[in-house]
Amino acid sequence: MRFLRLSEVQERVGLGRTSIYKMMREGNFPKPVNTLGRNVAWLDSEVDEWMMDRIDEKRGLSVPNIKY
């Protein structure tokens, strides 16, 4: 398991900051966890799961769980 900073999440999912935070408010994207003080980070496993769910929705395929 690994923490991802916003820049890493953006690169990984191909979305900008505004889109990520909008989807979080709508309940359509994983929320970050507080790490230290005001710093937040996302769990890589939750971001990966979100990505797999998008693939499944769009293609109607089951994507096997990837274990790290």
Side-chain angles (χ1 to χ4, degrees):
M1 189 178 317
R2 182 173 174 271
F3 285 127
L4 302 173
R5 299 300 305 223
L6 179 59
S7 60
E8 294 173 295
V9 173
Q10 289 175 281
E11 185 177 323
R12 195 171 215 164
V13 301
L15 297 170
R17 178 188 185 281
T18 302
S19 296
I20 291 170
Y21 277 96
K22 180 181 181 216
M23 290 189 315
M24 281 176 15
R25 281 191 308 276
E26 295 170 347
N28 298 320
F29 196 81
K31 293 188 177 182
V33 295
N34 290 328
T35 53
L36 291 172
R38 295 177 57 187
N39 293 325
V40 297
W42 285 258
L43 294 174
D44 66 342
S45 58
E46 291 180 355
V47 173
D48 289 344
E49 183 178 343
W50 178 86
M51 291 171 63
M52 286 186 232
D53 289 346
R54 300 298 70 74
I55 293 168
D56 190 39
E57 280 178 14
K58 297 296 180 188
R59 296 185 180 170
L61 302 172
S62 262
V63 177
N65 278 339
I66 299 171
K67 301 292 180 189
Y68 295 94

